[in-house]
């Protein structure tokens, strides 16, 4: 059984996609590490490299070359 999640704009999400999500009062750039039947396990990029769990409707898929450059510069 494959899990098909959809973000807030209707884009299909899969593992290793780059997404933006909120955490408290911040906007975090992260990568989908794993999908469960209801939630996504997200790995934050940059100095705050912890994991978060979010519903698919709480994230936004990002597909921009500038984001890739940012991730290369700020990843450990």
């Amino acid at each position: 059984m494959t899990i098909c999640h959809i973000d807030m704009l209707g884009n299909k999400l899969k593992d290793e996609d780059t997404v933006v999500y909120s955490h408290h009062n911040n906007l975090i750039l992260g990568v989908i590490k794993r999908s469960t039947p209801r939630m996504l396990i997200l790995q934050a990029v940059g100095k705050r490299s912890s994991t978060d769990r979010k519903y698919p409707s709480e994230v936004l898929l990002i597909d921009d070359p500038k984001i890739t450059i940012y991730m290369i510069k700020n990843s450990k």
Side-chain angles (χ1 to χ4, degrees), residues 3 7 17 22 24 30 32 45 47-49 56 60 63 66:
I3 301 169
D7 72 351
D17 277 346
S22 65
H24 294 264
I32 300 173
V45 173
K47 295 178 183 174
R48 185 187 171 277
S49 61
L60 181 63
D63 186 22
K66 293 177 187 175

Side-chain angles (χ1 to χ4, degrees), residues 11-69:
N11 300 316
K12 290 188 178 185
L13 300 170
K14 58 186 183 298
D15 291 350
E16 301 301 321
D17 277 346
T18 306
V19 295
V20 174
Y21 61 96
S22 65
H23 180 75
H24 294 264
N25 199 20
N26 298 319
L27 194 61
I28 306 293
L29 178 69
V31 177
I32 300 173
K33 286 298 175 189
R34 190 167 55 96
S35 298
T36 64
R38 288 191 180 183
M39 299 191 89
L40 302 170
I41 310 299
L42 305 168
Q43 177 73 42
V45 173
K47 295 178 183 174
R48 185 187 171 277
S49 61
S50 62
T51 58
D52 289 310
R53 291 176 46 197
K54 295 286 182 183
Y55 288 105
S57 61
E58 297 176 334
V59 302
L60 181 63
L61 180 66
I62 300 294
D63 186 22
D64 188 9
K66 293 177 187 175
I67 298 297
T68 305
I69 292 170

